Amino acid sequence: MNCAISGEVPEEPVVSTKSGLLFERRLIERHILDYGKCPVTGEPLTIDDIVPIKTGKVIKPKPVHTASIPGLLGTFQNEWDGLMLSNFALEQQLHTARQELSHALYQHDSACRVIARLKKERDEARQLLAEVERHIPAAPEAVTANAALSNGKRAAGDEEMAPDAKKLCPGISAEIITELTDCNAALSQKRKKRQIPETLASIDSLERFTQLSSHPLHKTNKPGICSMDILHSKDVIATGGVDATAVIFDRPSGQILSTLTGHSKKVTSVKFVGDSDLVLTASADKTVRIWRDSGDRNYACGHTLNDHSAEVRAVTVHATNKYFVSASLDSTWCFYDLSSGLCLAKVSDDSEKVDYTAAAFHPDGLILGTGTSQSVVKIWDVKSQANVAKFDGHTGEVTSISFSENGYFLATSAEDGVRLWDLRKLRNFKSFLSADANSVEFDPSGSYLGVAASDIRLYQTASVKAEWNLIKTLPDLSGTGKATCVKFGPDAQYVAVGSMDRNLRIFGLPGDQIANADDDSAQDS
């Protein structure tokens, strides 16, 4: 007998006392609860009106689709399909597990590298600390007598220095001061006999300068060249970028020799150290790095200097090529020994708090010029670390400073343009209005002055009373409207310009015009 609702043999059969029909218990009970009547006759029906029937165990007949060979094949096909789907899901899970394992192994490898780097930096710091501690007991009286300055302040006593021994600077010793003085005397004597080189580019040549090449040196996702320097003896250019790298570029071949990576933020200043294989970089990550060519143009970081607590804006190398200075927004400048990377003096001005944005040594080496974000230019005596002069007049941050080769003039750039200062009378004798001047640079002979702003302007230098004539205005072809740095090549034969795109641009005379210019110079001579 079959259920009147499902048409199948019921597992728990019940019969209605009113209609006598057979039902599956669970089906009729649900129907009564929902509708309260018989599903076949429509008569009112309650749970009390159904009576269970005792039967033997019912064996359900096999479904029709398994009673034939095609039905069995269909069943097998369905089971096979289910097995394949399950196998595919397992393979996906295996692939995901492999990816997660690979990522975990990569993170482990990265962590090991970071740990190794931190251990190396810790060992370097310990070595540096040990070297400093060796210097401190060697001449405690000299340190006290010479008022060795840490953060530009005289030590009030050993009690103040002892708790923070790592920040204690040994000071510029008498031997170093003697060395700086001897260098100053030699350079001053040599400068009196200075002659303009015959190979220097003429004014007529500068007037015909045009763009010769453009080189994409830095990354596209963080474009911008912040600083630049040229090693004239090898015609090699170094650039510091917003992408936190410095690039060493061979101009004659147009090839990148090396890319210096290690800073975590933009490289604000880059300098070659004389004709040696050393390069200095300063960064917004508060550090200064000393790089050395380890062979085959592979530069390795020899020292990472962490003496500043804010962005380092400038580095400048002393004429001895043994010492250098870094200037920072933490209101200090530091005097370093280049070979050891030891900070000999950390100086600030007690009279006023200023943030240093630019720095340059005088050609003779005993005077240091610094620019500040408070529009002030300060002149320092390197021997005593005393502020001996201050120039006011700029508007906005002082972005760059440059001493002329004759040692008489100082050029500074800022938001309001460029100002020229007479160091003999300590006064401003000329100004060039140029909105947002970012860089100013004398050529090594002191014959020309370059200014980088919304365009690039080249001037002929003159005396205090004579006119400084504008020779050439070069457009900023980067499309950013902001040239950030300008440098003269050897003998001013070309001008290198960095902008807020990633390209280094070279302006000069095309090849055929160079030959003509050489002929004209020979006829003039």
Side-chain angles (χ1 to χ4, degrees):
M1 293 184 292
N2 296 329
C3 174
I5 297 176
S6 64
E8 297 181 352
V9 178
E11 293 181 356
E12 294 183 75
V14 293
V15 65
S16 172
T17 58
K18 292 186 176 181
S19 62
L21 296 174
L22 185 69
F23 299 99
E24 175 72 53
R25 184 187 185 100
R26 60 184 175 80
L27 296 178
I28 189 62
E29 287 180 352
R30 185 183 301 171
H31 188 83
I32 292 173
L33 291 175
D34 291 341
Y35 302 102
K37 60 183 180 179
C38 178
V40 178
T41 63
E43 297 178 350
L45 192 66
T46 64
I47 298 296
D48 298 333
D49 295 331
I50 58 174
V51 179
I53 300 175
K54 294 183 179 180
T55 60
K57 186 176 181 181
V58 179
I59 300 175
K60 294 184 178 180
K62 293 184 178 180
V64 178
H65 65 274
T66 60
S68 63
I69 292 177
L72 288 172
L73 292 177
T75 301
F76 293 154
Q77 181 66 50
N78 292 336
E79 291 181 357
W80 175 261
D81 292 342
L83 179 61
M84 291 299 100
L85 290 174
S86 176
N87 185 52
F88 177 74
L90 289 175
E91 288 182 350
Q92 281 187 322
Q93 293 176 2
L94 176 61
H95 179 68
T96 302
R98 283 178 174 173
Q99 285 185 326
E100 292 177 351
L101 177 61
S102 175
H103 183 65
L105 291 175
Y106 175 77
Q107 286 184 327
H108 178 267
D109 183 63
S110 299
C112 291
R113 291 176 181 271
V114 170
I115 292 171
R117 178 176 58 82
L118 292 176
K119 285 184 177 179
K120 181 180 178 181
E121 292 181 356
R122 180 202 62 188
D123 294 340
E124 290 176 352
R126 286 177 175 176
Q127 182 179 359
L128 182 60
L129 178 59
E131 187 173 352
V132 173
E133 289 176 345
R134 284 197 301 270
H135 281 79
I136 293 172
E141 296 83 9
V143 172
T144 306
N146 293 328
L149 303 183
S150 178
N151 296 322
K153 299 178 181 179
R154 292 183 179 272
D158 294 339
E159 301 80 24
E160 297 180 8
M161 303 295 257
D164 198 5
K166 291 184 178 180
K167 293 185 179 180
L168 181 63
C169 299
I172 303 177
S173 65
E175 291 79 6
I176 296 177
I177 292 177
T178 301
E179 185 179 6
L180 301 183
T181 305
D182 293 343
C183 177
N184 171 75
L187 292 176
S188 299
Q189 187 66 26
K190 183 179 178 180
R191 184 166 291 106
K192 295 178 181 179
K193 302 176 182 179
R194 177 184 68 94
Q195 293 183 353
I196 302 298
E198 296 181 358
T199 54
L200 183 70
S202 64
I203 295 176
D204 179 64
S205 297
L206 266 66
E207 289 176 344
R208 289 181 285 164
F209 271 13
T210 185
Q211 179 171 312
L212 301 180
S213 59
S214 178
H215 309 278
L217 302 184
H218 293 270
K219 298 178 183 177
T220 55
N221 60 339
K222 291 184 178 180
I225 296 177
C226 302
S227 58
M228 179 170 50
D229 196 23
I230 299 179
L231 181 58
H232 290 115
S233 61
K234 300 179 181 178
D235 205 359
V236 173
I237 302 174
T239 61
V242 178
D243 61 358
T245 66
V247 175
I248 310 299
F249 175 75
D250 182 60
R251 190 199 66 84
S253 65
Q255 299 296 318
I256 294 177
L257 301 180
S258 183
T259 300
L260 314 184
T261 58
H263 286 293
S264 60
K265 294 183 180 180
K266 65 180 180 180
V267 178
T268 55
S269 182
V270 58
K271 288 290 182 183
F272 287 106
V273 180
D275 291 333
S276 68
D277 54 359
L278 295 177
V279 177
L280 303 177
T281 57
S283 172
D285 64 7
K286 309 177 187 178
T287 67
V288 176
R289 289 178 179 252
I290 304 175
W291 307 82
R292 182 183 295 275
D293 185 0
S294 57
D296 298 330
R297 304 292 186 178
N298 293 320
Y299 283 81
C301 180
H303 296 282
T304 300
L305 312 177
N306 302 282
D307 296 284
H308 290 291
S309 59
E311 176 179 334
V312 185
R313 280 292 189 88
V315 288
T316 178
V317 182
H318 189 267
T320 58
N321 294 324
K322 295 181 179 179
Y323 311 99
F324 73 93
V325 160
S326 64
S328 170
L329 296 182
D330 65 0
S331 304
T332 67
W333 58 265
C334 292
F335 185 92
Y336 287 96
D337 175 69
L338 191 56
S339 60
S340 65
L342 178 64
C343 179
L344 301 178
K346 189 172 184 180
V347 184
S348 65
D349 193 347
D350 293 337
S351 62
E352 58 180 335
K353 179 178 173 59
V354 291
D355 302 326
Y356 298 109
T357 55
F361 273 111
H362 187 273
D364 293 340
L366 288 184
I367 294 176
L368 175 71
T370 57
T372 68
S373 57
Q374 287 75 22
S375 311
V376 178
V377 178
K378 293 193 171 189
I379 307 299
W380 301 81
D381 177 10
V382 177
K383 294 188 295 183
S384 63
Q385 301 98 58
N387 181 210
V388 295
K390 183 171 70 172
F391 298 144
D392 298 307
H394 271 300
T395 300
E397 175 183 299
V398 178
T399 55
S400 175
I401 66 175
S402 178
F403 288 95
S404 67
E405 199 279 336
N406 62 15
Y408 297 152
F409 304 133
L410 172 66
T412 59
S413 63
E415 182 181 306
D416 57 348
V418 173
R419 290 177 180 266
L420 300 176
W421 309 87
D422 184 354
L423 297 176
R424 294 164 294 185
K425 297 185 178 180
L426 301 179
R427 67 182 183 90
N428 171 224
F429 67 91
K430 191 172 295 295
S431 299
F432 301 127
L433 297 179
S434 180
D436 295 327
N438 299 303
S439 177
V440 61
E441 184 76 19
F442 284 100
D443 82 297
S445 71
S447 302
Y448 304 116
L449 177 71
V451 178
S454 57
D455 53 22
I456 302 93
R457 299 183 183 185
L458 307 180
Y459 292 88
Q460 179 187 12
T461 61
S463 63
V464 173
K465 296 182 179 179
E467 187 66 27
W468 292 50
N469 296 319
L470 176 63
I471 301 174
K472 180 73 174 181
T473 299
L474 302 170
D476 173 31
L477 300 177
S478 67
T480 62
K482 185 177 182 180
T484 55
C485 44
V486 58
K487 290 282 184 180
F488 287 92
D491 294 328
Q493 295 295 331
Y494 67 85
V495 172
V497 176
S499 303
M500 284 311 293
D501 65 349
R502 66 193 188 109
N503 294 310
L504 170 69
R505 290 177 170 81
I506 306 297
F507 293 85
L509 287 177
D512 55 344
Q513 296 190 31
I514 293 176
N516 295 335
D518 292 340
D519 294 341
D520 294 342
S521 299
Q523 292 176 4
D524 293 341
S525 59

